[in-house]
Amino acid sequence: MGLVQTKVQPLFIGVDGGGSKCRATIYSVDGNVLGTGVAGRANPLHGLAQTFESIEESTRLALLDAGMKESDSRLLVAGLGLAGVNVPRLYQDVVNWQHPFAAMYVTTDLHTACIGAHRGADGAVIITGTGSCGYSHVDDTSLSIGGYGFALGDKGSGAWLGLKAAEHVLLALDGFAVSTSLTDMLLNYFNVTDALGIVENLAGKSSSCYAALARNVLDCANDGDAVAIAIVQEGADYISEMARKLFSLNPVRFSMIGGLAEPLQAWLSADVVAKISETLAPPEFGAMYFAQQEFNKSLSV
Amino acid sequence: MGLVQTKVQPLFIGVDGGGSKCRATIYSVDGNVLGTGVAGRANPLHGLAQTFESIEESTRLALLDAGMKESDSRLLVAGLGLAGVNVPRLYQDVVNWQHPFAAMYVTTDLHTACIGAHRGADGAVIITGTGSCGYSHVDDTSLSIGGYGFALGDKGSGAWLGLKAAEHVLLALDGFAVSTSLTDMLLNYFNVTDALGIVENLAGKSSSCYAALARNVLDCANDGDAVAIAIVQEGADYISEMARKLFSLNPVRFSMIGGLAEPLQAWLSADVVAKISETLAPPEFGAMYFAQQEFNKSLSV
């Protein structure tokens, strides 16, 4: 099979699976990017078949991008960073997959994002995009906080900001709370005139539909809307507290990742902002690095 | 067709469609129950095909229960009380249905519940079950409050109580809030030991899965758990305020309907509780009554 038959030095592929897309990057042994492919969502929590399909498709595209053949996936040692695999059942489902790689190593998307952010060094990350979660890895100790998904958790995330804003506006339109510019923003956003119009646009929709409102909620807050300020500040306070919990492991570096990382900064506590370092590499790098470490361990056994 | 060809005095059927089941009752012109049938969910918001299927099935069972033939649906003047038909698009979809009845009249489940509760008289109702909403009808004026669905609205409902409890417990397990007996309750309920276990049982689940937790949250509150008390009181305060808004139309009667109507009473304001009257008839009666009124109007035109 693969490695032995071909007698080729293995290449590594890092795969970052997420709720909206799956990105795969092939690296040489010394960490140079050879090719990249992007496919649809790959979140085991929302369907294994689609996850595997997206991993295969992004791998195929990365191989073509690298000037290789589709069948060359057998030459690749793969690292997969996936949401949901902290649930033992889902981890086992992914590990049991008849994958197309020479070898496959699986961990959480949080873990690979953290490895990437610090280029393999220990550290902590908070991801605030559609969802929110925190992860710290120091020596052999790791700490994972939040990330329980919409609408159960993910406080301070884009979807959470959108949901809290919509909740408040619906209460305001029924006369239970004061209407502010946030109410006008939401009605205008959906081009509707009443609560039912909002409900028609949001009922049963995915977290990304709610997260699409986050920028506007932040704009309202930055413009001084009292309701928006209260929502954004509550979310940001949670993120600040999450950061302090991650700091309890004394990570050398701390990064914030995701679409809300930058706009939320103005609302975080100064002690947290002071500790933010830029991310050094993307999650795919982290996934590749993880695979490399595990692969080398397996050789040295 | 139907009425003219058969020259039979029309019978009426009242259909109460809901998120978990659909109940149909055939009444004689003078309001006696001839037969009843129950089928699966019939909520247009969650699928039209299933809604129509459940209405047909409950009608079929009601016809058999009444000792009639399936084809006798052509003799029935139907009243349908359905969730979601306050959304104009869904109302039109239902009205356009090639239904099996002699005639069909459609209104919201809130409206038919209100007519039923007061046996055709004007009045107000609050429904607190899986969801929550309020409705008041006096003369030609009606007022509808809430009912925007899980997780966007439905404050004070069973699903809302379950969601708020789960949210708090997940925060507590991450160290963001104090753990109380509510935490133990939820862990024991799902027979799990940590936050991930709870998430595995609730992520992506329907509102009824959350509502199933409501009784236990109420038990915790009644046993003095401070967190549960705060959640239940916030929900109950919203329901009390909703009642006062409904009272602004000066309804002669006010009833509370749904699985949480009774257990929530202890948490409502005394001025609201003092106004509660028992329900006089079920929503199917209201749907039938509505159809009868509309049918008579159509004859007198």
Side-chain angles (χ1 to χ4, degrees), chain A residues 165-246:
Chain A
E167 272 180 19
H168 181 91
V169 167
L170 290 176
L171 287 173
L173 290 169
D174 271 350
F176 288 93
V178 61
S179 265
T180 64
S181 67
L182 194 70
T183 301
D184 301 327
M185 181 281 285
L186 205 60
L187 292 171
N188 292 337
Y189 183 90
F190 291 120
N191 194 23
V192 296
T193 54
D194 59 9
L196 268 183
I198 294 173
V199 173
E200 231 186 316
N201 279 286
L202 282 177
K205 290 295 164 67
S206 71
S207 54
S208 38
C209 289
Y210 285 90
L213 303 170
R215 290 276 173 171
N216 296 47
V217 178
L218 280 159
D219 286 347
C220 286
N222 288 324
D223 289 347
D225 183 285
V227 174
I229 287 175
I231 292 171
V232 172
Q233 196 59 63
E234 186 188 346
D237 286 349
Y238 169 77
I239 300 296
S240 291
E241 209 178 328
M242 181 191 276
R244 286 187 208 107
K245 286 186 193 297
L246 295 173

Side-chain angles (χ1 to χ4, degrees), chain A residues 2-297:
Chain A
L3 298 182
V4 179
Q5 280 178 8
T6 58
K7 305 206 175 169
V8 172
Q9 174 86 351
L11 296 176
F12 289 88
I13 184 167
V15 180
D16 180 45
S20 56
K21 64 178 189 295
C22 179
R23 180 183 287 269
T25 301
I26 300 172
Y27 295 85
S28 63
V29 185
D30 47 358
N32 290 319
V33 172
L34 301 180
T36 287
V38 179
R41 72 199 295 194
N43 184 336
L45 280 166
H46 297 136
L48 275 174
Q50 194 187 33
T51 299
F52 296 149
E53 216 175 282
S54 297
I55 295 172
E56 281 176 336
E57 175 64 4
S58 59
T59 298
R60 195 180 70 80
L61 294 170
L63 282 165
L64 296 177
D65 190 36
M68 299 168 73
K69 299 193 306 289
E70 292 189 31
S71 57
D72 287 341
S73 67
R74 284 281 162 218
L75 308 179
L76 303 173
V77 173
L80 270 51
L82 298 174
V85 298
N86 42 357
V87 175
R89 179 177 51 82
L90 286 176
Y91 176 80
Q92 210 47 56
D93 286 343
V94 174
V95 166
N96 290 341
W97 179 35
Q98 297 298 312
H99 62 79
F101 307 110
M104 179 181 81
Y105 301 97
V106 181
T107 188
T108 64
D109 54 343
L110 265 174
H111 187 195
T112 53
C114 190
I115 298 173
H118 311 304
R119 264 204 171 262
D122 280 350
V125 288
I126 287 179
I127 304 181
T128 50
T130 301
S132 72
C133 49
Y135 185 82
S136 188
H137 188 94
V138 176
D139 299 327
D140 286 333
T141 309
S142 67
L143 173 63
S144 175
I145 306 179
Y148 301 130
F150 179 79
L152 202 47
D154 287 7
K155 201 165 172 177
S157 69
W160 185 88
L161 289 177
L163 176 65
K164 291 299 132 185
E167 272 180 19
H168 181 91
V169 167
L170 290 176
L171 287 173
L173 290 169
D174 271 350
F176 288 93
V178 61
S179 265
T180 64
S181 67
L182 194 70
T183 301
D184 301 327
M185 181 281 285
L186 205 60
L187 292 171
N188 292 337
Y189 183 90
F190 291 120
N191 194 23
V192 296
T193 54
D194 59 9
L196 268 183
I198 294 173
V199 173
E200 231 186 316
N201 279 286
L202 282 177
K205 290 295 164 67
S206 71
S207 54
S208 38
C209 289
Y210 285 90
L213 303 170
R215 290 276 173 171
N216 296 47
V217 178
L218 280 159
D219 286 347
C220 286
N222 288 324
D223 289 347
D225 183 285
V227 174
I229 287 175
I231 292 171
V232 172
Q233 196 59 63
E234 186 188 346
D237 286 349
Y238 169 77
I239 300 296
S240 291
E241 209 178 328
M242 181 191 276
R244 286 187 208 107
K245 286 186 193 297
L246 295 173
F247 296 162
S248 68
L249 289 192
N250 292 315
V252 182
R253 294 186 96 250
F254 166 62
S255 296
M256 291 201 53
I257 309 175
L260 285 191
E262 186 274 323
L264 260 190
Q265 268 201 40
W267 301 86
L268 297 178
S269 299
D271 60 310
V272 172
V273 175
K275 295 213 178 191
I276 299 176
S277 301
E278 58 172 351
T279 58
L280 300 178
E284 309 90 81
F285 178 92
M288 175 277 290
Y289 189 94
F290 174 75
Q292 217 168 27
Q293 300 293 103
E294 296 297 307
F295 182 68
N296 291 339
K297 267 191 234 169

Side-chain angles (χ1 to χ4, degrees), chain B residues 211-240:
Chain B
L213 303 170
R215 290 278 173 168
N216 295 48
V217 179
L218 282 159
D219 285 347
C220 285
N222 288 324
D223 288 347
D225 182 284
V227 174
I229 287 174
I231 292 171
V232 172
Q233 195 58 65
E234 185 187 347
D237 286 349
Y238 169 78
I239 299 296
S240 290

Side-chain angles (χ1 to χ4, degrees), chain B:
Chain B
M1 286 285 297
L3 296 182
V4 179
Q5 281 179 6
T6 59
K7 307 207 173 167
V8 171
Q9 174 86 355
L11 296 177
F12 289 88
I13 184 166
V15 179
D16 179 46
S20 56
K21 63 178 192 293
C22 178
R23 179 183 288 268
T25 301
I26 300 171
Y27 295 85
S28 64
V29 185
D30 48 357
N32 289 320
V33 172
L34 301 179
T36 287
V38 179
R41 71 199 297 195
N43 184 337
L45 280 168
H46 297 136
L48 276 174
Q50 194 187 33
T51 299
F52 296 150
E53 215 178 281
S54 296
I55 295 171
E56 281 177 334
E57 175 64 6
S58 58
T59 298
R60 195 180 70 79
L61 294 171
L63 281 164
L64 295 178
D65 190 36
M68 299 169 73
K69 299 192 306 291
E70 292 188 30
S71 57
D72 287 342
S73 67
R74 286 280 161 220
L75 307 179
L76 302 174
V77 172
L80 269 50
L82 298 174
V85 297
N86 42 356
V87 176
R89 177 176 54 81
L90 285 177
Y91 176 80
Q92 210 47 55
D93 285 344
V94 174
V95 165
N96 290 342
W97 179 35
Q98 298 298 313
H99 63 78
F101 306 110
M104 179 182 80
Y105 301 97
V106 181
T107 188
T108 65
D109 54 343
L110 264 174
H111 187 194
T112 52
C114 190
I115 298 173
H118 311 304
R119 263 204 171 264
D122 280 351
V125 288
I126 287 180
I127 305 182
T128 50
T130 301
S132 73
C133 50
Y135 186 83
S136 188
H137 188 94
V138 176
D139 299 329
D140 285 333
T141 309
S142 68
L143 173 63
S144 177
I145 306 178
Y148 301 130
F150 179 79
L152 205 45
D154 287 10
K155 202 165 171 176
S157 69
W160 184 89
L161 290 177
L163 176 65
K164 290 299 133 187
E167 271 179 20
H168 180 93
V169 167
L170 290 177
L171 287 173
L173 289 171
D174 271 349
F176 289 93
V178 61
S179 265
T180 64
S181 67
L182 194 69
T183 302
D184 301 327
M185 180 282 283
L186 205 60
L187 292 171
N188 291 336
Y189 183 89
F190 290 121
N191 194 25
V192 295
T193 54
D194 58 11
L196 269 182
I198 292 172
V199 173
E200 231 186 318
N201 279 285
L202 283 177
K205 291 295 165 64
S206 71
S207 55
S208 37
C209 288
Y210 286 90
L213 303 170
R215 290 278 173 168
N216 295 48
V217 179
L218 282 159
D219 285 347
C220 285
N222 288 324
D223 288 347
D225 182 284
V227 174
I229 287 174
I231 292 171
V232 172
Q233 195 58 65
E234 185 187 347
D237 286 349
Y238 169 78
I239 299 296
S240 290
E241 209 177 327
M242 180 189 276
R244 288 188 206 105
K245 287 185 192 298
L246 296 173
F247 297 163
S248 68
L249 291 192
N250 292 316
V252 183
R253 293 187 97 250
F254 166 63
S255 296
M256 292 201 51
I257 308 175
L260 285 191
E262 186 274 325
L264 261 190
Q265 269 203 39
W267 300 87
L268 298 177
S269 299
D271 60 310
V272 171
V273 175
K275 295 214 178 189
I276 297 175
S277 300
E278 58 172 350
T279 59
L280 300 178
E284 308 90 81
F285 178 92
M288 176 278 291
Y289 188 94
F290 174 75
Q292 216 168 29
Q293 300 291 105
E294 296 297 308
F295 182 69
N296 290 339
K297 268 191 235 170
S298 75
L299 293 183
S300 65
V301 172

